[in-house]
Amino acid sequence: MSSPGGASNFPEDFLWGAATAAYQVEGAAGEDGRGPSIWDTFSHTPGMVFHGDTGDVACDQYHRLDEDLDLMAGLGLKAYRFSVAWPRIQPGGSGPANPKGLDFYKRLVAGLRERSIEPVLTLYHWDLPQALEDKGGWTSRETSSRFAEYAGIVNDALSEDVRFWITLNEPWVSAWLGYGAGVHAPGYADPAKALAATHHLLLGHGLAVERMRVGDNRIGITLNLSPVRPAKEERPADVDAAQRVDGQANRLYLDPLFRGSYPEDILEHYRPDTDLSFIRDGDLETVSAPLDFLGVNYYMRHTVREAERPRAGSLLFPGIRARSVTPHGAETTAMGWPIEPDGLTEILVRLKDEYTNLPIYVTESGAAFHDYADPEGAVEDEERVSYLDAHFRAARAAIGEGVDLKGYFVWSLLDNFEWAEGYSKRFGLVRVDYATQRRTPKSSARWYAGVIGRNGLEG
Ligand code: FCB
């Protein structure tokens, strides 16, 4: 690690990037042979997404690729993390590739390379082909094999130009918000389904890694991880709830990936709901196949208390009698998420101490605020600047403690379709006026370009 020019600097070759995901930005939902995904179905179901918003058009990146690539180059991005829409590649979830779907990503990757921006490709950012959901989705073992087949197709087509491959984005969210809490597609609220989905997602990850182990590609997975603490240290019920939340949100993913086993306390907890027969001999060996890096998405720490029910604005951890609370006095983002940058240092150091010495990339970090645009569309988003500044400092503190952190991707390049919140929450460095699709870099974009240019913070 070098720090020329002062303590603020980051390691040489630090990969500063920005991230998006297919369904959130692409639009063109019915074009060039793309099939429907669970998010098309879910967002078109009345009452599931705020304001009835859908990703039909989103930021229309499918048709505005060059403009968006130029925007990235203008910011000086060193890397761009995007996801491939499975239903563009295999509209029905299996069978041969749709060449037009692959073409779009070939153009994207070529455009990045022309601008010297490193492509970081995520294979699955939640848009499961609806045809697979109709056969059980992630609760079905078959979906794991289908995922590996799809991963192989994309890998064969793009591995010459893409070095960084991420199998899954945030399997906790896919499983627990999609199948456990019912607030994301496909909309089931059944903890037993969520646990089966967790296993099949991880199995699919492991099978995809096996399938993609050719050449010198770097393969990883992205987890959303959060340190967890009890609302009241002196309340044993809250201490236990915190242990359960850590089990469901962190250990249920980290243990199988890095230790080849599931955390017993969490399995024990769900035994009344399921006989766990979906876990077969040999599966955990597949799941724990060696990786080249770990992606971490960090948004918040969880402060939790024992509770039977969620409350508006609180995160629910399905089936474990726990919900999050906002710590007294904490500032929050427009999502209602507490702003706690030191939680990033804490989780990164814990990964090194307890799980892995693999290189780590923060593959998402960022915040929605109530941005105000002037008539020209300009946004002075000082809150986002201080949010990012504080989180970059927290990342640097982790590097100082020996964490091998190699890159950081701001969520997000653009304002976009924020899942169940629709277009009401704006996370972008760049504002999108959805009526005209006009893009306007916010103050935070200019500030971030400065950070990238000097490879560090001021002061
Ligand atoms: C993460 C998702 C990403 C975005 C951010 C705000 O959980 O991976 O798509 O919605 O949250």
Side-chain angles (χ1 to χ4, degrees):
M1 190 173 77
S2 76
S3 59
S8 337
N9 282 359
F10 279 71
E12 245 176 85
D13 298 327
F14 197 75
L15 212 54
W16 294 103
T20 62
Y23 190 68
Q24 297 181 274
V25 298
E26 284 178 3
E31 275 177 60
D32 289 341
R34 178 185 178 278
S37 81
I38 54 175
W39 268 97
D40 295 285
T41 309
F42 191 76
S43 65
H44 281 270
T45 306
M48 300 321 257
V49 173
F50 181 81
H51 191 251
D53 292 343
T54 74
D56 288 1
V57 178
C59 309
D60 200 29
Q61 188 173 78
Y62 196 78
H63 297 119
R64 291 165 198 271
L65 196 52
D66 289 340
E67 182 184 352
D68 285 352
L69 287 162
D70 288 343
L71 261 177
M72 296 176 215
L75 295 185
L77 292 189
K78 305 239 179 270
Y80 178 55
R81 174 175 178 240
F82 61 96
S83 80
V84 173
W86 187 348
R88 284 198 196 284
I89 308 302
Q90 291 180 301
S94 60
N98 165 30
K100 287 193 171 160
L102 282 175
D103 280 352
F104 174 67
Y105 299 103
K106 285 183 184 161
R107 280 197 289 128
L108 169 55
V109 167
L112 290 168
R113 286 266 170 246
E114 276 162 27
R115 292 164 181 82
S116 303
I117 301 170
E118 184 75 40
V120 176
L121 184 154
T122 302
L123 284 160
Y124 185 71
H125 201 125
W126 309 351
D127 42 2
L128 185 73
Q130 181 62 41
L132 295 183
E133 182 54 40
D134 295 343
K135 296 186 198 149
W138 289 110
T139 67
S140 158
R141 191 175 176 92
E142 181 62 20
T143 302
S144 312
S145 312
R146 294 280 72 80
F147 177 66
E149 177 187 87
Y150 152 70
I153 291 174
V154 181
N155 197 252
D156 290 345
L158 296 175
S159 68
E160 278 196 8
D161 290 315
V162 177
R163 274 196 302 158
F164 289 91
W165 293 77
I166 294 171
T167 54
L168 303 176
N169 178 69
E170 301 189 351
W172 179 85
V173 173
S174 297
W176 295 95
L177 298 188
Y179 293 86
V183 297
H184 275 193
Y188 293 104
D190 177 346
K193 278 193 166 60
L195 204 60
T198 290
H199 183 66
H200 296 135
L201 281 154
L202 290 172
L203 181 62
H205 153 83
L207 293 170
V209 173
E210 266 171 25
R211 174 64 179 75
M212 297 196 296
R213 270 283 168 233
V214 283
D216 63 353
N217 291 329
R218 301 177 199 172
I219 308 178
I221 185 171
T222 280
L223 303 177
N224 56 308
L225 299 171
S226 295
V228 186
R229 65 180 169 204
K232 285 207 167 79
E233 293 281 358
E234 64 281 12
R235 252 189 111 221
D238 287 359
V239 173
D240 289 351
Q243 180 70 10
R244 293 194 297 275
V245 168
D246 183 52
Q248 188 198 79
N250 299 321
R251 291 182 285 117
L252 186 59
Y253 298 87
L254 290 166
D255 284 16
L257 288 165
F258 294 108
R259 297 180 181 162
S261 61
Y262 281 116
E264 262 313 313
D265 58 330
I266 290 300
L267 294 189
E268 216 32 68
H269 190 84
Y270 288 107
R271 280 230 166 78
D273 304 312
T274 163
D275 63 7
L276 302 173
S277 55
F278 48 81
I279 306 174
R280 303 211 187 138
D281 281 355
D283 283 1
L284 281 154
E285 264 168 54
T286 307
V287 170
S288 57
L291 297 175
D292 304 310
F293 67 91
L294 174 65
V296 175
N297 292 356
Y298 177 75
Y299 288 97
M300 72 199 112
R301 181 189 269 123
H302 298 316
T303 301
V304 301
R305 56 178 308 157
E306 187 187 53
E308 291 302 331
R309 295 183 179 286
R311 285 233 184 112
S314 79
L315 251 188
L316 170 75
F317 300 92
I320 50 171
R321 302 191 323 283
R323 70 172 170 83
S324 66
V325 297
T326 306
H328 193 66
E331 284 180 48
T332 56
T333 69
M335 296 291 280
W337 296 345
I339 302 177
E340 296 188 86
D342 58 325
L344 175 59
T345 317
E346 188 180 332
I347 198 71
L348 292 175
V349 170
R350 178 183 177 193
L351 288 171
K352 170 179 77 77
D353 289 347
E354 295 181 25
Y355 285 101
T356 180
N357 287 316
L358 282 179
I360 294 179
Y361 294 83
V362 172
T363 40
E364 287 180 28
S365 159
F369 288 108
H370 299 290
D371 293 342
Y372 169 79
D374 76 12
E376 268 67 61
V379 179
E380 302 292 332
D381 57 340
E382 291 311 316
E383 288 168 300
R384 186 168 288 101
V385 170
S386 20
Y387 183 99
L388 292 174
D389 182 79
H391 285 74
F392 293 168
R393 281 170 206 277
R396 204 177 56 196
I399 295 171
E401 293 199 40
V403 174
D404 189 13
L405 186 70
K406 290 203 169 308
Y408 202 113
F409 293 73
V410 172
W411 184 270
S412 175
L413 176 69
L414 302 168
D415 290 340
N416 60 46
F417 176 79
E418 177 46 35
W419 309 113
E421 305 293 332
Y423 296 100
S424 68
K425 298 293 188 290
R426 293 178 174 273
F427 276 88
L429 293 163
V430 175
R431 179 177 173 87
V432 176
D433 174 353
Y434 295 109
T436 61
Q437 291 295 348
R438 192 166 143 217
R439 277 87 161 123
T440 312
K442 304 177 190 175
S443 300
S444 57
R446 286 187 289 278
W447 174 84
Y448 188 37
V451 171
I452 299 172
R454 75 179 87 84
N455 193 34
L457 303 162
E458 281 175 308

